[in-house]
Amino acid sequence: MDLYYLPRSGFSQLIDVLRNHAETIMVPKAQDGAMVFSELDPGEEIEAGWQEVQDAGRYSLEKTESPRWFKWATGPQALKPIVYPPREALWRVEKQGITFESVPESVPATAIIGVRACDLAALSLLDKHFLGSQFPDTAYKSRRDSLFIVAVDCARSAATCFCVSTGDGPSATQGFDIALSELEDGFVLRSGSARGESLLKGFSRANERQITLSEKQVDQAISMQTRQLPAQDLRSLINKSLESDAWEAIAARCLSCGNCTSVCPTCFCHSESALAELDGSSSTQYREWDSCFTQSHSYIHGIVIRSETATRYRQWFTHKLANWHEQYGRSGCVGCGRCISWCPVGIDITQEVATLNGN
Amino acid sequence: MVTNPQSPYLPKTVEVVERIQETQTVFTLRLRFIDEGFSEQYRFQPGQFNMLYLYGVGEIPISIVSDPDGLPFIDHAIRVVGRVTKGMAKLKKGDRLGLRGPYGQGWPMDLARDKNLLVITGGLGCAPVVSAINYVIERRADFNKLTIMQGVKLPSDLVWRSRYEQWSQIPDTEIYLAADEGAANWPWHVGRVTELFDRMSLAPDTVAMLCGPEGMMRVCIKELVQRTIKEEFIFLSMERNMQCAVGSCGHCQFGPYFVCKDGPVFCYAKVKQLLAIKGV
């Protein structure tokens, strides 16, 4: 594979070539105490030094002296809100004649810089859900097709990361156009697609020292991971534990708030609602992220199928780790650890699997 | 810059051809597409459902009860239970609504051909199986004995009584009804629906189709299996919250299945483990 090198001071060259392909460039920014993807304004630079401390129930950003832009491991979002917005219009209907029409949405070609290996794994899972169906989701597809992805290998792992055990990281292996490995003074770059390769062609080659450093960093990120999921398929363990007391024990702590489902990069549940104009002349049908932790999620005419927190947590966990295999051919967990950090009471999916497994 | 192509969620405009008040709480909406092009493309199987949208109120899944050969008319038997069905009850001939579908897996009518058919329903009427019964009525010679069983809590819960009287007139058809509590106008069995099994003889090549509360289906299936009906010949229509109908919104998950696309009709052999667990 051809590896290129770009000094940090020359990164604007990459931004410039990306601008030829994309109307919008998104980069990580510290916003409201967390790293999120946000539009890069012309002339603006990616901010250096941000690093986070994550643990069960904890996410806290710190500004360090490091020149690095990608020292942080994960933010709360991944790519989910970009390809599948928290709220979107599905269609509109006119009262006169009851005629239905699509809601046109302009989707700018977007380059997104700083995507992690776990985010790429999650994106390929969302692709399976939204596109691999008899009824492909056209809105998702437009946004998905508009993306030019610049991934970055993780040089460090957060305490909550366990992507090594799920096989999804910490280095990007698929689903990107360009991948970066960030060194102190610059970036080792590789392409993951023909269009990525065509952009990198003009850059100079990386030298031996740069390549070795970038490889060592990945090893370092791997060695930093303390959490893990068992390597085997968890279907049989979970399916024989559906009536275990473990669910009640988790429910005693779980607030059923749904934070885990919001930050999970593969959770896809959504609900629909109609919003009529004030004058009553038209109405728009929306879809909005929903969570299996809500009472309304399993509601059918007067009955709530999962009225207890224990059955809701079991639904989430069982879907994520067992039923995804049946539905989409692999586990729905990519080891990003977001559900652990953003859980207000610090419920740890890896620990709950271990408990179920008798450890 | 690209613009979204047409969404799979976009309903088509239909109009009410006829509205038939069946009982105090049940009515049938006979619908037809405004655009003849959609009408010509539209095909369905008994047991499938449509998403019906009432302007400004919402969209709900409703079983199709008419015959596949009855197109371009599509009948939906609707019981008034919630906001949308309450609104739909007020519709008149010529009124318009939205329809998208058909969705889901229907009843195994091909498997049931030349066999005995046992239809078991419970609770407050059960539109999904009505399509199968109507299908048999239209093609009576293709099927052997038809047995219809219905269990209710109270005699007044039998919401569409005249229909059972019509069905009892079909050749080679037996009707068994049970109410947990009796009443003066209840000539049928008083007791549990499962007690009815002792009154009938079930041939081994019987295909059973069930619809109703899960608890009722569970006990009936236990009886069927004891009476040597094959698990592969037992089918049930499951109910879960369905909003998108295309396996996307996630609400109707039942174990690994999306009820809207993998069901609503499931073979018992496939869902037996799940059916035994509460809250799945």
Side-chain angles (χ1 to χ4, degrees):
Chain A
M1 184 199 309
D2 293 336
L3 296 172
Y4 302 88
Y5 182 78
L6 195 57
R8 192 176 296 281
S9 57
F11 197 77
S12 60
Q13 288 175 48
L14 180 64
I15 301 279
D16 291 342
V17 291
L18 288 176
R19 287 224 189 266
N20 294 333
H21 289 259
E23 294 156 76
T24 302
I25 296 189
M26 298 187 88
V27 299
K29 292 187 188 179
Q31 266 175 21
D32 302 325
M35 294 310 291
V36 298
F37 291 114
S38 183
E39 196 171 339
L40 183 75
D41 297 323
E44 191 185 5
E45 287 187 348
I46 304 173
E47 216 180 325
W50 287 111
Q51 182 179 320
E52 89 286 32
V53 178
Q54 294 194 60
D55 208 339
R58 181 170 184 213
Y59 184 98
S60 136
L61 268 188
E62 291 171 355
K63 184 87 162 136
T64 68
E65 293 301 311
S66 169
R68 290 181 183 241
W69 298 340
F70 304 104
K71 214 168 154 56
W72 54 280
T74 54
Q77 289 185 328
L79 296 175
K80 186 166 85 169
I82 294 166
V83 288
Y84 165 46
R87 187 166 196 263
E88 69 183 291
L90 293 174
W91 43 261
R92 238 172 60 85
V93 53
E94 290 291 331
K95 187 174 186 184
Q96 183 67 41
I98 310 293
T99 50
F100 298 88
E101 58 185 21
S102 295
V103 177
E105 178 192 356
S106 297
V107 183
T110 300
I112 179 156
I113 302 173
V115 178
R116 306 297 170 144
C118 56
D119 302 341
L120 294 172
L123 186 66
S124 88
L125 285 177
L126 288 181
D127 286 350
K128 287 184 184 198
H129 176 69
F130 285 110
L131 303 177
S133 138
Q134 190 195 339
F135 307 96
D137 195 295
T138 49
Y140 176 93
K141 187 168 191 325
S142 314
R143 291 186 288 260
R144 179 69 179 89
D145 290 347
S146 78
L147 287 188
F148 186 100
I149 296 175
V150 181
V152 60
D153 291 339
C154 290
R156 58 175 278 278
S157 296
T160 43
C161 293
F162 56 98
C163 64
V164 174
S165 68
T166 63
D168 296 308
S171 139
T173 55
Q174 53 78 38
F176 58 84
D177 294 293
I178 294 173
L180 314 173
S181 178
E182 183 182 36
L183 308 178
E184 293 287 305
D185 53 2
F187 301 89
V188 175
L189 300 92
R190 63 185 187 273
S191 65
S193 70
R195 57 183 188 166
E197 184 62 31
S198 71
L199 259 60
L200 294 183
K201 275 270 180 279
F203 296 145
S204 58
R205 296 296 171 107
N207 64 32
E208 223 30 63
R209 184 191 69 90
Q210 290 156 346
I211 294 168
T212 310
L213 275 176
S214 70
E215 285 167 356
K216 274 195 179 149
Q217 288 191 157
V218 171
D219 291 341
Q220 178 185 306
I222 292 171
S223 69
M224 286 175 79
Q225 295 198 4
T226 53
R227 286 180 158 88
Q228 59 179 4
L229 279 184
Q232 82 270 23
D233 178 341
L234 295 169
R235 266 180 289 189
S236 64
L237 169 69
I238 293 170
N239 288 333
K240 74 174 188 225
S241 312
L242 293 176
E243 293 178 289
S244 154
D245 297 335
W247 311 112
E248 286 299 339
I250 301 165
R253 289 171 281 141
C254 175
L255 306 178
S256 203
C257 70
N259 266 17
C260 49
T261 59
S262 289
V263 296
C264 176
T266 68
C267 271
F268 54 69
C269 283
H270 53 263
S271 58
E272 287 190 26
S273 57
L275 185 67
E277 290 299 321
L278 281 178
D279 67 1
S281 64
S282 69
S283 178
T284 304
Q285 188 83 351
Y286 286 90
R287 76 168 168 201
E288 196 168 334
W289 289 1
D290 197 2
S291 169
C292 53
F293 284 90
T294 65
Q295 175 154 303
S296 58
H297 190 275
S298 63
Y299 178 88
I300 36 169
H301 52 73
I303 307 160
V304 176
I305 304 280
R306 291 182 281 276
S307 56
E308 316 279 330
T309 299
T311 50
R312 291 183 207 166
Y313 186 87
R314 185 183 69 187
Q315 169 64 24
W316 179 72
F317 185 96
T318 306
H319 181 219
K320 194 67 57 191
L321 299 175
N323 294 336
W324 265 90
H325 283 279
E326 309 286 345
Q327 295 170 349
Y328 302 107
R330 62 154 287 179
S331 153
C333 177
V334 296
C336 71
R338 290 183 173 92
C339 58
I340 304 173
S341 303
W342 295 92
C343 174
V345 296
I347 294 172
D348 177 347
I349 190 171
T350 63
Q351 183 53 52
E352 299 310 335
V353 169
T355 305
L356 217 53
N357 223 351
N359 300 313
Chain B
M1 193 80 80
V2 291
T3 302
N4 283 338
Q6 201 172 77
S7 157
Y9 296 101
L10 196 69
K12 309 283 187 283
T13 311
V14 290
E15 72 172 347
V16 178
V17 177
E18 200 178 347
R19 182 190 171 288
I20 307 148
Q21 191 71 39
E22 307 287 1
T23 75
Q24 214 164 13
T25 55
V26 180
F27 60 98
T28 298
L29 281 185
R30 175 162 298 170
L31 306 175
R32 177 171 61 187
F33 288 104
I34 295 292
D35 184 323
E36 281 180 14
F38 295 136
S39 239
E40 279 161 22
Q41 288 166 25
Y42 188 92
R43 298 280 179 280
F44 70 91
Q45 298 296 319
Q48 286 192 299
F49 66 95
N50 287 320
M51 294 300 289
L52 295 187
Y53 170 80
L54 180 64
Y55 179 78
V57 187
E59 203 182 28
I60 49 168
I62 300 281
S63 299
I64 307 165
V65 294
S66 53
D67 196 273
D69 292 344
L71 290 167
F73 303 116
I74 314 165
D75 291 0
H76 304 78
I78 303 169
R79 195 166 61 90
V80 177
V81 282
R83 224 159 40 92
V84 183
T85 48
K86 229 175 248 171
M88 284 178 179
K90 296 188 186 119
L91 291 169
K92 301 177 301 292
K93 184 178 174 178
D95 285 346
R96 292 180 170 194
L97 56 173
L99 182 152
R100 59 185 177 98
Y103 294 116
Q105 310 299 319
W107 297 108
M109 301 315 298
D110 288 339
L111 174 74
R113 191 158 290 124
D114 297 324
K115 296 189 181 70
N116 293 327
L117 182 56
L118 170 64
V119 173
I120 308 178
T121 71
L124 296 162
C126 215
V129 289
V130 174
S131 60
I133 296 171
N134 287 343
Y135 189 87
V136 173
I137 295 172
E138 289 300 318
R139 297 157 188 80
R140 191 64 197 91
D142 294 351
F143 299 86
N144 297 343
K145 192 171 84 176
L146 170 65
T147 306
I148 301 170
M149 274 172 81
Q150 156 97 18
V152 289
K153 254 187 207 144
L154 304 170
S156 57
D157 291 340
L158 192 72
V159 289
W160 197 346
R161 194 165 175 154
S162 60
R163 197 172 53 172
Y164 293 90
E165 281 148 13
Q166 283 167 20
W167 287 341
S168 67
Q169 304 306 312
I170 310 164
D172 200 13
T173 300
E174 289 176 7
I175 309 282
Y176 293 88
L177 300 174
D180 292 352
E181 291 175 30
N185 62 350
W186 186 260
W188 299 288
H189 181 68
V190 176
R192 298 178 67 95
V193 66
T194 44
E195 289 159 12
L196 296 172
F197 285 107
D198 295 330
R199 303 178 165 204
M200 60 178 75
S201 63
L202 284 177
D205 72 333
T206 296
V207 172
M209 299 181 183
L210 294 88
C211 172
E214 281 171 44
M216 181 282 292
M217 293 200 287
R218 268 196 296 269
V219 294
C220 288
I221 289 170
K222 201 173 148 196
E223 294 283 340
L224 292 174
V225 172
Q226 274 173 11
R227 287 167 164 79
T228 69
I229 303 296
K230 287 190 227 139
E231 288 180 355
E232 290 75 20
F233 277 17
I234 301 173
F235 293 84
L236 57 161
S237 182
M238 291 296 299
E239 209 177 356
R240 284 294 180 273
N241 184 354
M242 295 197 280
Q243 297 191 16
C244 73
V246 296
S248 184
C249 80
H251 291 91
C252 70
Q253 287 181 84
F254 174 53
Y257 305 115
F258 293 94
V259 170
C260 69
K261 72 176 171 108
D262 301 317
V265 174
F266 288 96
C267 178
Y268 173 62
K270 200 167 154 184
V271 295
K272 141 176 148 170
Q273 259 89 23
L274 290 169
L275 205 61
I277 298 162
K278 203 173 161 277
V280 172

